[in-house]
Amino acid sequence: MRTANQIRVLIVDDNADTLEWMKVLLEHDGYATRTADSGAAAEEMRGAWQPQLVLMDLRLPDIDGTELLTRFKEAAPGTEIIMISGHGSVARAVDAMKAGAYSFIEKPVDPDVLLAMITKALERLRLSDENQRLRAQLKGRDRFGDIVGSSEKMQQLFQLITLAAPTDANILIHGESGTGKELVANAVHQNSKRADGPFIRINCAAVPADLIESELFGHKKGAFTGASSDKVGLVQLAEGGSLLLDEIAEVPQQTQVKLLRLLQEREFRPVGASNLVRANFRLICSTNAPLDPQSSKLREDLYFRINTITLEIPPLRDRPEDISLFCDHFLTQFARQHERPVQGIHSAARNALLRYSWPGNVRELEHVLERSVIVAAGTEITLQDLPEIFQQPRRSPASRDALVGQLTLAEIERLAILQALERTNGNKRAAASMLGVYRPTLYGKLRKYKLGEYGKSEATLKPKGGVSSPRDARVAGGADDD
Ligand SMILES: Nc1ncnc2c1ncn2[C@@H]1O[C@H](COP(=O)(O)OP(=O)(O)OP(=O)(O)O)[C@@H](O)[C@H]1O
Ligand SMILES: [Mg+2]
């Protein structure tokens, strides 16, 4: 009896007896089978029946088995193929494997070996199907657990988390302040094999340098003044689970050496103890500090240990597609939380939110939305409900403080002139008036900064991004308003 979910196996061999006994063997084991005694027949069957697995003789009357295999793999890359080779043709069978065969089996074929091989091949097929299904599922999703984001960059991140989390590899999460490093760390733990184990977190920047070792490794009573009893360290608390070292770059140098040893040996010594303790945890680190070896406070050897996989979270300004999504997400969340009747965002307010460069990233946006939901009088957030900084049209508040320290005075002046011209559509009289200078003064400066051509090739003169804010000039790290 055939059922719809039977696995379809095509057997290709020019020997009628072989075809017959294999067919009987496989059908007995519940597979649906078809047979083909030549390459041409096999190809016809592939198109019409689309087998998931093919048993293929290396030697066929009309075509070389390896050639047929290549054609099958081209037409249906997902098909698993097992080659059947005659005695003494192992070398050719190996070639076939290089061309994409799953495995090969030598004649005379042992039925048990064949069945076991088929089971394995199908398991691989199932896994790759599962992978594809996951990919398809992730594609176009606008959240991953608690992490919101529909931009291509976030979709890639979700995919990487899905792949990396179940492995036990050390993970380094890198991103500016407020980009959601902690959320990502959580997602890694939740999607790992250790999800049922503890998830222990330490913010290395918040612990005084002289206490961090005893926090991490624990200590014996009397190990130092103030150690009035034995203390279990966080490494031990993370046993069987994951350990998040938040702001890893802030770990003092001598502790970095001990961490390195811990990662190498998988054991550590509590402060003041004589014995070593075995450790079994998955390490997740995060940092917003630059990772390049010159400016990093991290020892290079430690860095290479902890970053087996780096998850890079892009700043919000690099994925503006996500801003609107976040606005709606936080609006719904805070309206419910604060029991406010707010249901939407007026277009002028939304535009102002979209134009802003968000130096504090998602955290900053979250705070702005929370505040706006609370102060909004009606069912819609209007421009007036946003912090004052959003109400000056076409002016990016982030740019104000960011200019100094990033640009020279001359560069700032040049930028101001460009912006004035941009806003007045190149009208120099209006631009001079906007800048509060006489027209001749403006002309002098246009010459000085070689902007005399403004208007003729406007695109090249506009600041990058065509927006009024010099986004690239922003100070890394931005506002941390927590
Ligand atoms: N993709 C996101 N989806 C939903 N919420 C987010 C996202 N990214 C950040 N947030 C929210 O923004 C806030 C800051 O996130 P988080 O604390 O994870 O940032 P961080 O990168 O660890 O920042 P810091 O470097 O300052 O510690 C949190 O309230 C978090 O819920
Ligand atoms: Mg954090």
Side-chain angles (χ1 to χ4, degrees):
M1 194 189 71
R2 295 221 167 127
T3 60
N5 50 14
Q6 264 182 315
I7 302 279
R8 296 181 302 278
V9 184
L10 172 64
I11 312 165
V12 191
D13 201 304
D14 60 340
N15 183 314
D17 291 339
T18 309
L19 288 181
E20 186 53 30
W21 80 256
M22 283 194 182
K23 186 173 165 61
V24 171
L25 176 80
L26 294 187
E27 292 194 343
H28 181 262
D29 252 39
Y31 297 105
T33 62
R34 295 279 166 92
T35 57
D37 60 4
S38 69
E43 288 204 90
E44 206 178 292
M45 195 63 79
R46 178 188 55 68
W49 195 53
Q50 301 186 346
Q52 287 132 307
L53 188 105
V54 185
L55 304 179
M56 195 182 278
D57 193 2
L58 248 183
R59 199 164 22 202
L60 292 166
D62 55 344
I63 188 171
D64 176 69
T66 313
E67 170 63 27
L68 183 63
L69 166 103
T70 310
R71 290 193 196 171
F72 263 67
K73 278 284 171 187
E74 267 168 23
T79 316
E80 290 294 3
I81 300 177
I82 296 174
M83 300 305 285
I84 303 166
S85 66
H87 185 67
S89 53
V90 169
R92 288 185 53 217
V94 170
D95 283 344
M97 284 186 66
K98 284 189 195 144
Y102 168 71
S103 188
F104 71 90
I105 186 163
E106 222 178 340
K107 286 182 180 172
V109 172
D110 179 330
D112 289 335
V113 175
L114 179 65
L115 287 175
M117 198 177 270
I118 291 176
T119 310
K120 270 186 157 167
L122 290 174
E123 171 65 4
R124 181 166 94 161
L125 199 66
R126 191 186 65 74
L127 281 178
S128 77
D129 277 357
E130 176 83 6
N131 235 328
Q132 268 184 7
R133 196 182 52 77
L134 265 177
R135 264 168 228 256
Q137 215 180 54
L138 282 177
K139 223 175 143 77
R141 247 173 46 165
D142 60 7
R143 59 186 306 153
F144 181 82
D146 292 336
I147 315 172
V148 174
S150 64
S151 59
E152 186 62 32
K153 290 189 165 97
M154 290 305 279
Q155 298 293 315
Q156 284 168 0
L157 179 67
F158 296 165
Q159 199 160 331
L160 198 51
I161 297 175
T162 312
L163 291 174
T167 72
D168 230 12
N170 294 341
I171 304 275
L172 176 63
I173 303 165
H174 184 240
E176 285 180 15
S177 183
T179 46
K181 293 187 288 297
E182 207 167 326
L183 279 184
V184 170
N186 252 312
V188 170
H189 174 73
Q190 293 308 335
N191 288 279
S192 77
K193 284 183 288 217
R194 298 169 175 269
D196 291 334
F199 180 41
I200 303 292
R201 180 200 152 198
I202 174 172
N203 182 347
C204 303
V207 181
D210 53 339
L211 285 185
I212 197 156
E213 275 180 32
S214 96
E215 278 297 316
L216 283 172
F217 306 120
H219 61 238
K220 298 300 283 181
K221 181 178 174 182
F224 49 86
T225 356
S228 53
S229 58
D230 285 6
K231 178 188 162 85
V232 176
L234 297 176
V235 170
Q236 217 163 339
L237 289 178
E239 184 72 12
S242 314
L243 176 67
L244 168 62
L245 301 182
D246 212 353
E247 309 212 26
I248 176 85
E250 301 309 316
V251 171
Q253 289 289 319
Q254 85 258 21
T255 312
Q256 289 192 23
V257 178
K258 296 203 173 153
L259 269 178
L260 183 63
R261 204 169 308 139
L262 165 68
L263 296 178
Q264 280 164 344
E265 316 290 338
R266 291 274 150 195
E267 54 188 19
F268 64 97
R269 193 189 305 279
V271 179
S274 52
N275 60 312
L276 287 167
V277 181
R278 295 287 309 158
N280 170 17
F281 63 92
R282 198 262 183 91
L283 182 69
I284 307 172
C285 296
S286 81
T287 181
N288 56 23
L291 292 176
D292 63 298
Q294 277 84 37
S295 46
S296 175
K297 290 187 269 180
L298 266 185
R299 288 173 60 98
E300 208 169 2
D301 45 9
L302 182 61
Y303 171 62
F304 286 119
R305 276 266 158 191
I306 63 174
N307 81 340
T308 312
I309 296 171
T310 300
L311 300 176
E312 186 72 46
I313 316 182
L316 194 49
R317 66 182 172 285
D318 286 353
R319 44 181 166 118
E321 319 91 280
D322 284 340
I323 296 177
S324 227
L325 181 68
F326 277 125
C327 288
D328 297 332
H329 169 74
F330 289 125
L331 179 133
T332 314
Q333 176 186 323
F334 291 121
R336 195 178 307 136
Q337 186 176 324
H338 299 296
E339 299 180 347
R340 304 291 302 168
V342 184
Q343 284 164 3
I345 303 173
H346 186 261
S347 62
R350 191 179 287 269
N351 284 338
L353 292 166
L354 286 172
R355 267 202 311 269
Y356 185 49
S357 63
W358 301 106
N361 292 298
V362 184
R363 177 184 292 120
E364 185 183 9
L365 190 153
E366 186 178 0
H367 287 178
V368 167
L369 259 293
E370 179 167 20
R371 176 190 181 279
S372 310
V373 163
I374 292 171
V375 304
T379 55
E380 227 184 25
I381 293 177
T382 64
L383 193 56
Q384 286 70 40
D385 299 326
L386 299 181
E388 206 209 307
I389 218 153
F390 289 90
Q391 290 167 36
Q392 302 139 355
R394 312 203 57 171
R395 175 171 188 178
S396 173
S399 64
R400 274 198 325 205
D401 301 335
L403 290 176
V404 175
Q406 298 288 313
L407 300 179
T408 64
L409 186 56
E411 284 167 333
I412 292 171
E413 189 174 59
R414 182 179 185 275
L415 201 64
I417 293 168
L418 272 172
Q419 288 183 6
L421 286 167
E422 196 195 333
R423 284 178 208 174
T424 57
N425 287 324
N427 182 328
K428 296 188 180 99
R429 183 200 298 269
S433 140
M434 184 179 277
L435 292 165
V437 296
Y438 289 115
R439 230 174 343 146
T441 314
L442 178 62
Y443 282 123
K445 297 206 182 283
L446 290 176
R447 275 194 302 279
K448 176 177 168 193
Y449 296 118
K450 303 201 170 44
L451 295 178
E453 295 300 290
Y454 190 87
K456 284 186 189 156
S457 78
E458 200 177 311
T460 57
L461 292 168
K462 275 190 183 174
K464 204 171 163 195
V467 197
S468 53
S469 72
R471 293 179 173 210
D472 304 322
R474 226 188 38 71
V475 184
D480 189 353
D481 47 358
D482 252 8

